[in-house]
């Protein structure tokens, strides 16, 4: 039987080791990933910024979900260089081709005064609340912390805003802003599940805040009991990471589009009508926006509201839940979002259809023209408003 020293010697003979100085250089290389294999209590006391944490005992089961490309340059740290050597050996056996172990580990890194910080960690209560998220390697502690740090603005606390806000609050999105200037009405309760009979007559934003904080006290709910207009939209949107669009009128949608493009904020758009719904993501940095989809609004007689045409109460629950899902994917950088794709749902047929969206080369409201976009009231005027280029 081999002794521990013999096993360590064998591991070090099979791997590449570098010192902390070289690791400090290599971590800034293209695609490089710093992998910390210490125990959670060690990691919580300090770590290299941007590092991925997978305890050594969980490495084999988790690494493939965290680092998909086996050609990724991996710089492996532990406290002193022993566990990282065994980890590097295991990674090579798993097919990772560019792996190094750091001699001296995080202890030497810290003693030399190199860059490190105390990472944000979840409280015991949060670890229990979000336990099912933490079991997902694609989310884990780091992803949950991203959710807690995220800021999402809900445009509307109605049919679409209700399910979206409920699921985002439950998921642990740390700040949820809500814009709505209406009051709770009995006719809302068929679909607007943020509210209840006892709150008829209350401001919707106040009712929404009560519901969301009861679901999750981690969430900071910021209310805007105001009409969204050109005079306030830039101030309201500023600082948010994602906007969930539950607007029910065209002027608000075009105003939101122009402001979100100017600020570079992605919008998760949803709309509902009778038995049908649509969802897409307008990311001004990487895909089409609302003005690419609808350069001009349809005539009023072709765009009746739900108040005029009706809507099946459960429909916004489905569409709003998809909006919440797309928002979480944007925050975590997971999967393929609906940017460039319009997902249409027909409740009567129980069918989904997908349509490709393209960027309109003639659309002047783009991130590249952000400094020229003018935010103006669009009631009765839904054409793009872009300042002339200087002569």
């Amino acid at each position: 039987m081999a002794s521990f020293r013999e096993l360590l010697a064998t591991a070090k003979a099979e791997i590449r080791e570098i010192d902390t100085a070289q690791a400090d250089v290599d971590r800034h290389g293209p695609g490089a990933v710093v992998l910390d294999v210490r125990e959670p209590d060690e990691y919580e006391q300090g770590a290299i910024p941007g590092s991925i944490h997978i305890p050594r005992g969980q490495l084999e089961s988790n690494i493939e979900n965290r680092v998909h490309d086996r050609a990724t340059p991996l710089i492996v740290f532990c406290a002193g260089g022993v566990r990282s050597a065994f980890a590097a050996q295991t990674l090579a056996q798993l097919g990772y081709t560019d792996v190094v172990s750091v001699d001296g580990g995080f202890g030497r890194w810290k003693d030399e005064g190199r860059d490190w910080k105390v990472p944000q960690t979840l409280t015991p209560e949060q670890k229990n609340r979000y336990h099912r998220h933490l079991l997902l390697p694609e989310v884990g502690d780091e992803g949950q912390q991203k959710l807690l740090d995220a800021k999402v603005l809900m445009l509307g606390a109605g049919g679409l805003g209700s399910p979206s806000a409920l699921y985002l609050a439950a998921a642990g999105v740390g700040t949820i802003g809500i814009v709505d200037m209406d009051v709770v009405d009995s006719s809302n309760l068929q679909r607007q599940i943020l509210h209840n009979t006892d709150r008829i007559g209350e401001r919707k934003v106040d009712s929404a805040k009560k519901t969301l904080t009861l679901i999750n006290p981690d969430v900071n709910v910021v209310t805007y009991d105001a009409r969204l207009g050109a005079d306030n939209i830039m101030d309201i949107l500023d600082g948010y990471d994602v906007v969930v669009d539950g607007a029910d009128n065209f002027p608000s949608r075009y105003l939101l589009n122009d402001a979100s493009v100017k600020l570079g904020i992605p919008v998760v758009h949803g709309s509902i009508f009778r038995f049908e719904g649509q969802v897409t993501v307008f990311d001004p940095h990487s895909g089409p926006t609302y003005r690419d989809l609808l350069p001009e609004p349809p005539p009023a007689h072709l765009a009746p509201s739900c108040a005029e045409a009706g809507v099946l109460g459960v429909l916004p629950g489905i569409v709003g839940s998809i909006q919440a899902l797309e928002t979480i994917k944007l925050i975590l950088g997971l999967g393929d979002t609906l940017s460039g794709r319009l997902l249409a749902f027909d409740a009567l047929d129980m069918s989904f259809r997908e349509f490709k969206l393209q960027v309109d080369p003639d659309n002047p409201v783009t991130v590249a023209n952000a400094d020229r976009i003018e935010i103006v009231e669009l009631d009765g005027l839904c054409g793009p408003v872009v300042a002339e280029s200087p002569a």
Side-chain angles (χ1 to χ4, degrees):
M1 294 180 62
S3 67
F4 169 77
R5 290 183 179 277
E6 290 171 333
L7 289 174
L8 179 60
T10 298
K12 291 200 171 192
E14 295 177 359
I15 65 168
R16 289 192 298 128
E17 279 190 300
I18 60 174
D19 59 22
T20 51
Q22 188 61 50
D24 204 359
V25 173
D26 291 353
R27 73 187 179 109
H28 298 292
V33 171
V34 175
L35 175 62
D36 193 321
V37 298
R38 294 175 297 158
E39 293 302 303
D41 60 327
E42 297 175 282
Y43 181 79
E44 290 172 4
Q45 294 174 23
I48 299 170
S51 59
I52 291 178
H53 177 229
I54 305 177
R56 175 64 190 91
Q58 301 174 18
L59 183 64
E60 290 86 349
S61 60
N62 284 347
I63 185 62
E64 292 177 354
N65 293 319
R66 302 291 296 279
V67 182
H68 305 287
D69 187 353
R70 283 175 167 75
T72 300
L74 291 172
I75 304 168
V76 189
F77 274 83
C78 66
V82 174
R83 283 170 290 176
S84 61
F86 287 118
Q89 183 186 43
T90 297
L91 289 166
Q93 293 169 350
L94 290 171
Y96 289 86
T97 58
D98 190 356
V99 184
V100 294
S101 171
V102 181
D103 185 34
F106 182 73
R108 183 175 298 170
W109 179 280
K110 185 177 177 181
D111 289 343
E112 293 172 346
R114 301 186 187 279
D115 186 23
W116 69 280
K117 67 176 183 179
V118 176
Q120 292 179 291
T121 57
L122 303 177
T123 66
E125 292 79 11
Q126 289 172 328
K127 289 183 178 180
N128 181 58
R129 175 182 287 274
Y130 307 118
H131 180 61
R132 298 302 190 277
H133 275 179
L134 305 185
L135 292 175
L136 296 169
E138 295 86 351
V139 181
D141 286 57
E142 295 171 20
Q144 189 60 53
Q145 194 64 61
K146 287 182 181 179
L147 290 171
L148 289 166
D149 291 339
K151 296 181 178 181
V152 175
L153 181 69
M154 315 296 303
L155 184 54
L160 293 173
S162 288
S164 297
L166 285 168
Y167 272 111
L168 292 174
V173 171
T175 299
I176 296 178
I178 303 177
V179 184
D180 202 306
M181 62 173 293
D182 204 356
V183 297
V184 179
D185 185 270
S186 61
S187 66
N188 301 151
L189 303 182
Q190 163 252 19
R191 64 202 177 282
Q192 298 181 14
I193 56 177
L194 273 174
H195 316 296
N196 59 48
T197 303
D198 291 340
R199 298 182 192 161
I200 291 174
E202 284 190 27
R203 310 303 297 181
K204 279 188 180 178
V205 291
D206 295 334
S207 174
K209 183 170 184 175
K210 290 177 183 177
T211 301
L212 298 179
T213 51
L214 283 172
I215 288 175
N216 191 348
D218 283 344
V219 179
N220 174 34
V221 180
V222 182
T223 60
Y224 304 90
D225 190 355
R227 173 188 176 277
L228 196 67
D231 60 334
N232 62 12
I233 189 169
M234 294 295 288
D235 289 335
I236 291 176
L237 264 63
D238 190 29
Y240 283 95
D241 302 307
V242 184
V243 178
V244 177
D245 176 17
D248 60 358
N249 63 85
F250 284 103
S252 292
R253 290 172 181 164
Y254 283 94
L255 188 65
L256 171 61
N257 176 82
D258 296 354
S260 64
V261 171
K262 191 174 182 70
L263 292 169
I265 302 172
V267 173
V268 181
H269 169 78
S271 60
I272 51 175
F273 181 71
R274 290 175 53 82
F275 301 96
E276 300 175 356
Q278 297 179 342
V279 190
T280 188
V281 172
F282 298 124
D283 189 338
H285 291 289
S286 62
T289 64
Y290 191 72
R291 286 193 184 274
D292 294 310
L293 172 65
L294 291 174
E296 298 290 340
H301 69 279
L302 294 180
S305 69
C306 291
E308 299 169 309
V311 62
L312 189 67
V314 72
L315 178 66
I318 297 168
V319 174
S321 295
I322 296 174
Q323 286 182 279
L325 176 58
E326 288 297 294
T327 301
I328 291 171
K329 287 164 60 182
L330 284 169
I331 293 168
L332 298 180
L334 286 178
D336 295 323
T337 71
L338 286 173
S339 179
R341 299 182 289 154
L342 179 71
L343 186 67
F345 172 62
D346 187 324
L348 294 182
D349 293 341
M350 193 50 69
S351 62
F352 288 90
R353 297 180 65 190
E354 182 179 297
F355 301 90
K356 296 294 184 182
L357 302 181
Q358 302 292 333
V359 173
D360 180 357
D362 296 324
N363 176 16
V365 182
T366 65
V367 169
N369 292 333
D371 60 337
R372 296 170 49 215
I373 298 173
E374 296 181 358
I375 307 302
V376 300
E377 294 293 345
L378 300 180
D379 289 322
L381 173 65
C382 286
V385 181
V386 180
E388 293 294 331
S389 298

